[in-house]
Amino acid sequence: MSVVKGIAKVDFYYAKFLNTTTGTYGRPTRVYDTPILLSFNVKPTTDKFDFSLYGERVTRMLRAVIPNTQENRELFTEGSVAYFDGRTPLNEVANGDNANYYVVGKRAYNHALHILFEKFGSEN
């Protein structure tokens, strides 16, 4: 992996979405893989294209810029969850319980892959 000087990396946990099962009382339950610690360039999204797609939701979104490799394209899938703002997967009952962001999209740009995370709920 190449490293660009001057770009700050953010450490965060990430849990890949695996499938949906039927839980207690017939309710759907999302199942996530064991969270892993990652370190990539992550910052708030300010892209006009994203604003045209998501509207005011962009104020609750983060963008990660990662190397565009086959491994990363398979790892980052829509519906997966991430732990930002000091959240960790410690003491979770089920994987993903403590996450506060989820993947809403990914786009490939030559050698970079842009992952869009949106914060759960309506708070900023």
Side-chain angles (χ1 to χ4, degrees), residues 20-92:
T20 303
T21 62
T22 303
T24 309
Y25 307 109
R27 300 176 103 187
T29 302
R30 297 176 67 85
V31 178
Y32 300 98
D33 201 357
T34 303
I36 57 174
L37 181 62
L38 300 173
S39 183
F40 290 115
N41 176 20
V42 179
K43 55 187 160 188
T45 184
T46 57
D47 192 288
K48 289 181 182 179
F49 179 72
D50 292 332
F51 188 79
S52 69
L53 283 177
Y54 302 107
E56 291 296 320
R57 290 173 50 196
V58 296
T59 60
R60 298 187 316 265
M61 296 175 91
L62 298 174
R63 174 189 306 273
V65 180
I66 65 173
N68 187 1
T69 64
Q70 182 66 29
E71 179 182 304
N72 285 339
R73 286 190 300 272
E74 291 173 5
L75 176 64
F76 289 92
T77 59
E78 289 189 24
S80 297
V81 294
Y83 306 70
F84 289 105
D85 305 327
R87 297 263 185 117
T88 66
L90 299 175
N91 301 320
E92 286 184 321

